[in-house]
Amino acid sequence: VGADFKALIVAVSRFPTIGSFAGSDTISISAQDGKINASSFGVVLSKARVKADGVLPLVGVDERALTAFAALCPDASKVYLEVVGKELVIKCRRELTVCLATGTDHKMASTKDMVGLAISEEMVKKVGYLAQLAFSDSSRAELCCVMLNGEEAISCSPKIVASLKLKGMKGEKIPLPLALAKGLKAGDILYPGMQETILNSGIGRYSMPSVVKARTDYPLAAVSRLGKEIETKELILDGPKFLNAISECNSVLGSIARTEIVV
């Protein structure tokens, strides 16, 4: 594998697994036709591909071992992988031998007939912020997303409803799963399908089941009513000064109490 081995492992490990289940800690690797493919399946199905020479049968490798070894590989170095019996030997100035697990040929839907949405820097910031506020309890699955509705992005939880404007957006009712919403990067292409939401980012492709229930049960009407309520100006704040005051209060309270305090 060429100098892109580190990028390959970083790409396929981009979305950490929440919880643990069979196969979630395994990266599947195979090489043929001048390419090496890597994939993993946690909350997000991740796949990446870079150039490589030779052939490697489909094998599974512990994700922690690969990510740790890749971090030690210099950026401009080649990496050699060889299956020896039931072990995979990886060489790059150093040598790592790991036991093989069962590799999985993960399938991902084609984006050929899907319309892509280009992710801007503005979307990264605003959607990422909204994702932190969104409901994350599966008891209300329809709220576990950031809803893109025309030029508006919305997130809801039992304590807060947040809405931000997005310039130049088109289309209605695109529920963006939280894991993907938190991991967006400028230049990514999002493909919001009816059953599967796919994100193309650099050498990686990522997929999650779409939040199907949100298309029918998301409380857009209630959010719209909130936005139309009559507003009265109660207070005018200097933003930076207010933030400094909050930070100072937080520092003082944090230094005199060991219990969690929220200002």
Side-chain angles (χ1 to χ4, degrees):
V1 185
D4 292 329
F5 178 77
K6 182 185 293 187
L8 176 75
I9 302 304
V10 169
V12 83
S13 306
R14 176 169 162 183
F15 293 91
T17 298
I18 301 173
S20 180
F21 53 90
S24 63
D25 56 353
T26 300
I27 292 180
S28 297
I29 298 180
S30 65
Q32 59 182 353
D33 301 327
K35 299 284 186 179
I36 183 168
N37 303 282
S39 64
S40 66
F41 180 63
V43 173
V44 178
L45 169 59
S46 304
K47 303 186 74 172
R49 173 186 295 180
V50 295
K51 292 181 180 180
D53 296 321
V55 176
L56 185 75
L58 179 64
V59 295
V61 186
D62 185 275
E63 179 179 358
R64 293 166 298 180
L66 276 182
T67 52
F69 187 82
L72 298 175
C73 297
D75 292 337
S77 60
K78 290 189 176 182
V79 179
Y80 298 88
L81 299 92
E82 181 182 7
V83 174
V84 180
K86 295 183 178 180
E87 295 177 330
L88 178 67
V89 179
I90 310 174
K91 298 179 181 179
C92 177
R93 298 189 181 180
R94 302 167 179 82
E95 182 173 314
L96 172 69
T97 301
V98 291
C99 295
L100 294 178
T102 302
T104 304
D105 184 13
H106 295 112
K107 302 296 183 182
M108 189 178 294
S110 171
T111 58
K112 181 180 178 180
D113 298 322
M114 301 171 69
V115 178
L117 174 65
I119 304 300
S120 64
E121 189 66 43
E122 179 194 23
M123 284 190 66
V124 172
K125 293 180 179 179
K126 292 185 175 181
V127 170
Y129 169 75
L130 292 172
Q132 301 298 328
L133 303 179
F135 198 58
S136 57
D137 188 335
S138 59
S139 64
R140 292 294 302 275
E142 71 277 12
L143 299 184
C144 294
C145 65
V146 175
M147 178 62 76
L148 305 182
N149 187 44
E151 291 192 337
E152 188 177 28
I154 305 165
S155 67
C156 296
S157 75
K159 295 182 179 181
I160 189 169
V161 174
S163 172
L164 296 175
K165 296 295 183 181
L166 290 174
K167 298 177 183 179
M169 284 286 294
K170 296 181 180 180
E172 296 184 353
K173 288 190 177 182
I174 300 176
L176 184 54
L178 289 185
L180 293 181
K182 293 177 181 179
L184 293 179
K185 294 181 180 178
D188 291 355
I189 305 295
L190 180 71
Y191 294 90
M194 293 299 293
Q195 300 296 325
E196 193 172 354
T197 299
I198 298 174
L199 182 69
N200 282 2
S201 179
I203 63 171
R205 297 186 72 214
Y206 309 93
S207 173
M208 281 189 73
S210 298
V211 191
V212 177
K213 194 174 182 181
R215 296 183 183 275
T216 55
D217 295 353
Y218 202 84
L220 286 175
V223 174
S224 179
R225 286 197 301 269
L226 286 174
K228 293 177 181 178
E229 290 185 356
I230 298 175
E231 299 176 351
T232 58
K233 188 176 294 184
E234 302 289 347
L235 185 67
I236 299 176
L237 294 172
D238 183 303
K241 290 182 179 179
F242 181 64
L243 177 59
N244 288 337
I246 291 294
S247 298
E248 288 182 17
C249 290
N250 192 51
S251 297
V252 171
L253 291 175
S255 65
I256 62 177
R258 295 297 180 184
T259 57
E260 181 181 359
I261 294 176
V262 178
V263 182

